[in-house]
Amino acid sequence: MLATIESNPSESGRPESVFVSWLLWQPREADLPIEALKELSKLARYADRDPDIVRLRSLFATLAGQTGRPH
């Protein structure tokens, strides 16, 4: 198996890709809004330092029912 290394690490984990990967790894019986709240609490320490994290937090907040539709 070959591993690839991104020349620009910040582009390797676009927020939408990270979110979809997270969704796919959730167990079938998971309560997704509750799990999304857990992820929001983990991301809270990063505040608004990076626009990708802001976008990822927005996706989790939407799933958790804390906001309207994502922009």
Side-chain angles (χ1 to χ4, degrees):
M1 180 177 195
L2 296 175
T4 60
I5 298 175
E6 297 288 331
S7 59
N8 185 352
S10 66
E11 292 180 8
S12 65
R14 297 188 51 82
E16 292 79 5
S17 297
V18 171
F19 183 73
V20 169
S21 293
W22 176 86
L23 280 173
L24 292 173
W25 278 98
Q26 296 306 300
R28 184 178 301 250
E29 66 279 355
D31 185 335
L32 295 178
I34 289 174
E35 296 303 319
L37 285 173
K38 292 177 186 177
E39 294 304 316
L40 280 171
S41 112
K42 292 176 190 176
L43 292 170
R45 69 178 122 176
Y46 298 104
D48 297 331
R49 294 186 211 170
D50 183 287
D52 285 344
I53 292 176
V54 171
R55 176 70 179 142
L56 184 58
R57 288 180 65 207
S58 172
L59 292 167
F60 281 117
T62 300
L63 179 60
Q66 292 188 342
T67 65
R69 295 181 57 198
H71 26 64

